Amino acid sequence: MEIVSPKIVIPLRMKSKYLESAQQRIPNPELLVNVVSRRVRQLAQGHRPITQTDPRMDFAEIALKEISEGKLTFEVIGDTEVVPEAPVRAAE
């Protein structure tokens, strides 16, 4: 459902073809949001994607694609959940 105004259309749900497959890899919605959020922050700071991307993809879609392809994971250490940093590649 969308709220429609004369000039602005605001989608109420995320539309991503990678969301369902990412949810299969990380079934806990709170954990998935945290992993995506941390990766979006990294991408916004200039980290490179670890998967093939389309120029029209936003950071959240890139993060979801990385998760759905199994290239971005998380670890649970004791009671604390830790999201590993993306691998840093040397400048070429």
Side-chain angles (χ1 to χ4, degrees), residues 69-83:
E69 291 177 352
K71 295 181 179 182
L72 184 64
T73 60
F74 69 97
E75 290 182 37
V76 177
I77 301 173
D79 286 343
T80 308
E81 297 169 346
V82 177
V83 179

Side-chain angles (χ1 to χ4, degrees), residues 4-24:
V4 180
S5 66
K7 295 182 181 180
I8 301 172
V9 176
I10 302 172
L12 296 179
R13 296 195 71 182
M14 174 181 261
K15 295 177 183 172
S16 176
K17 62 183 177 181
Y18 304 110
L19 182 58
E20 286 184 26
S21 56
Q23 285 175 325
Q24 291 175 354

Side-chain angles (χ1 to χ4, degrees), residues 2 19 29 33 49 64 67 89:
E2 294 180 350
L19 182 58
V33 167
L64 287 169
I67 293 167
R89 295 182 181 154

Side-chain angles (χ1 to χ4, degrees), residues 28-76:
N28 182 336
E30 289 124 7
L31 182 56
L32 179 61
V33 167
N34 288 332
V35 171
V36 170
S37 174
R38 174 167 264 173
R39 185 63 178 142
V40 165
R41 258 185 261 126
Q42 291 174 349
L43 292 168
Q45 291 173 352
H47 291 252
R48 291 184 180 176
I50 51 178
T51 186
Q52 293 284 65
T53 61
D54 180 3
R56 294 174 283 155
M57 293 174 75
D58 64 6
F59 293 145
E61 287 178 313
I62 293 170
L64 287 169
K65 183 177 181 191
E66 292 173 347
I67 293 167
S68 68
E69 291 177 352
K71 295 181 179 182
L72 184 64
T73 60
F74 69 97
E75 290 182 37
V76 177

